[in-house]
Amino acid sequence: MSYYEVRKTLREFMAEREWQQFHTSENLIKSVAVEAGELLECAQWGGEPDPDKVQEELADVLTYCYLLADKMGWEPEQVILQKLEATRLKYPPEKSRGLSTKYDEL
Amino acid sequence: MSYYEVRKTLREFMAEREWQQFHTSENLIKSVAVEAGELLECAQWGGEPDPDKVQEELADVLTYCYLLADKMGWEPEQVILQKLEATRLKYPPEKSRGLSTKYDEL
Amino acid sequence: MSYYEVRKTLREFMAEREWQQFHTSENLIKSVAVEAGELLECAQWGGEPDPDKVQEELADVLTYCYLLADKMGWEPEQVILQKLEATRLKYPPEKSRGLSTKYDEL
Amino acid sequence: MSYYEVRKTLREFMAEREWQQFHTSENLIKSVAVEAGELLECAQWGGEPDPDKVQEELADVLTYCYLLADKMGWEPEQVILQKLEATRLKYPPEKSRGLSTKYDEL
């Protein structure tokens, strides 16, 4: 299935419920953060997180990310790839190999 | 570009920097939440959020979501669509139309 | 130093900078979440978090919590103790001892 | 009630349930972020947040902040006041008055 079909499915789902009215960019941003908190709950006490719960919560984070991207007129995978190019410059392999250090401390 | 090409690009990027060693499912989950916090910062004080900053931070949230999905063996858009089917049952249009109420209060 | 002195110090600090205008309850709530994300960044990649960074970010979370409590007319420690009484009932020691299980799964 | 009494109450509560074993600094940090996400849920769709829900979720954020402070050997209000002194230098009133701009953009 292509991105355009996923977007169409999401748009129809929201239109059927008249939920687009709640989907300001700010509300979608808050929603990404709310769902990221629920995803984090899967790992709250350490140990291996339950894959079923992780999948459910990851779905919610991704859905709001996709709705936000659509709201802003962006394609999610383009957004990922574009940022990756910037990250490439900040973290050249020879300086960052095997390190989790933030670029401003490299 | 297909999902498989995006995944390949991400995998190569991480392999070049030997960063996969940091990408336990728990660390990726925490990273989604950290970046969601930075995305939220774009909307911290209200007003229209700066689209350039939103795009950068949304990119980071999406990237960690994609890495987590890959780690778990899932495809991001499948994850979205599968959860949407469950949400369809919890929020039938006739009960939820025009409401932002949570399903357990409908 | 008593809570009232801390509150007075915070209020004066905000008044000097005319920052109370930004402190709606919603903006303060978002700010707590933004700062909690920065606190989480201290533990993003595992290992022992750097105490100096933890202290800085915990300070920010606490400060916005205190500002929110003040905005709502509550005292932070009363808020903690009142909720603790409710938690006592949800998690009786004999059922919850040594378990990190959520109450609805006990 | 003094801070020491609050701390004593929290410590006894945790000891009765043998929950201190889960309270590594990292787990407490994650817990602050999880609860901050639940607090944010109160403001997810805009409008005035429900004070009862806000109080419940703020209580959880504050409780984990207090537990983290205790774990690290700090007093919460000292942590707030110490950071406030650093913020005073970063945001002098004459430069920051009436602005929500971040210090590095002032």
Side-chain angles (χ1 to χ4, degrees), chain A residues 26 30 41 53 102, chain C residues 26 30 41 53 102 105:
Chain A
E26 181 173 337
K30 285 183 284 180
E41 198 182 346
K53 288 190 188 168
K102 223 177 161 175
Chain C
E26 179 171 338
K30 285 184 285 180
E41 199 182 345
K53 289 191 187 166
K102 223 177 159 174
E105 293 167 6

Side-chain angles (χ1 to χ4, degrees), chain D residues 58-100:
Chain D
L58 177 60
D60 291 338
V61 180
L62 275 166
T63 301
Y64 282 118
C65 285
Y66 269 58
L67 292 173
L68 177 59
D70 188 17
K71 179 86 188 176
M72 306 297 287
W74 306 326
E75 293 189 25
E77 298 189 346
Q78 283 310 313
V79 166
I80 291 175
L81 294 174
Q82 206 170 311
K83 177 72 187 273
L84 205 67
E85 290 317 302
T87 310
R88 245 182 239 292
L89 301 175
K90 274 197 195 162
Y91 294 91
E94 64 280 9
K95 281 185 69 181
S96 58
R97 189 167 291 124
L99 299 171
S100 64

Side-chain angles (χ1 to χ4, degrees), chain A residues 42-54, chain B residues 23-27 29 68 71-72:
Chain A
C42 303
Q44 188 172 3
W45 304 114
E48 209 48 54
D50 175 338
D52 290 343
K53 288 190 188 168
V54 171
Chain B
H23 293 174
T24 63
S25 54
E26 180 171 339
N27 285 355
I29 286 172
L68 178 59
K71 179 87 187 175
M72 306 296 286

Side-chain angles (χ1 to χ4, degrees), chain B residues 26-27 30 33 40-41 45 53 100-102 105, chain D residues 26-27 30 33 40-41 45 53 100-102 105:
Chain B
E26 180 171 339
N27 285 355
K30 285 183 283 179
L40 185 63
E41 197 181 346
W45 303 114
K53 289 190 186 167
S100 64
T101 320
K102 223 176 159 175
E105 293 168 9
Chain D
E26 181 172 337
N27 286 354
K30 285 183 284 179
L40 184 62
E41 199 181 346
W45 303 115
K53 289 191 187 168
S100 64
T101 319
K102 223 178 159 173
E105 293 168 6

Side-chain angles (χ1 to χ4, degrees), chain C residues 88 93 97, chain D residues 11-20:
Chain C
R88 245 181 240 292
R97 189 167 292 124
Chain D
R11 284 182 181 178
E12 285 172 358
F13 183 93
M14 300 307 155
E16 277 171 14
R17 285 159 188 79
E18 299 174 11
W19 282 355
Q20 313 98 317

